[in-house]
Amino acid sequence: MTIEVLKEILGWMTLINLVFYIWTAVACAFMKDFLARITGKMFGISPEANKQILYGYVGAYKLLFIVFNLVPWLALCIICR
């Protein structure tokens, strides 16, 4: 596997995960009440606890996206110049 192939793979991974992250963030922002009702029925989680869980989930997803997709792709873009 060449560096160019690895760069292309990481680029596509970054793009796909960025779309998932944006979709998740938008869904959590605009569907809070719906998600709170569903998780309340399924797991008995209060709406306040649901907000904290969603905030932590979106933050962890963003952190993992940056560390494992965006930074390696940017590093390979810099190396390949």
Side-chain angles (χ1 to χ4, degrees):
M1 181 179 301
T2 66
I3 290 180
E4 289 298 324
V5 171
L6 187 59
K7 182 177 122 179
E8 190 171 333
I9 290 169
L10 282 171
W12 280 106
M13 283 174 48
T14 300
L15 180 65
I16 291 167
N17 275 301
L18 179 64
V19 170
F20 283 145
Y21 170 72
I22 291 171
W23 182 81
T24 301
V26 168
C28 288
F30 293 112
M31 297 177 24
K32 283 184 249 185
D33 297 331
F34 173 72
L35 293 172
R37 263 195 330 270
I38 296 293
T39 56
K41 288 179 183 177
M42 290 175 63
F43 305 111
I45 298 172
S46 70
E48 186 59 38
N50 187 44
K51 287 179 187 176
Q52 292 175 346
I53 291 168
L54 285 176
Y55 183 75
Y57 168 72
V58 171
Y61 193 97
K62 180 171 62 172
L63 180 66
L64 292 171
F65 163 71
I66 290 170
V67 170
F68 290 111
N69 290 145
L70 187 61
V71 171
W73 178 72
L74 287 174
L76 283 176
C77 285
I78 292 169
I79 289 172
C80 289
R81 282 191 175 186

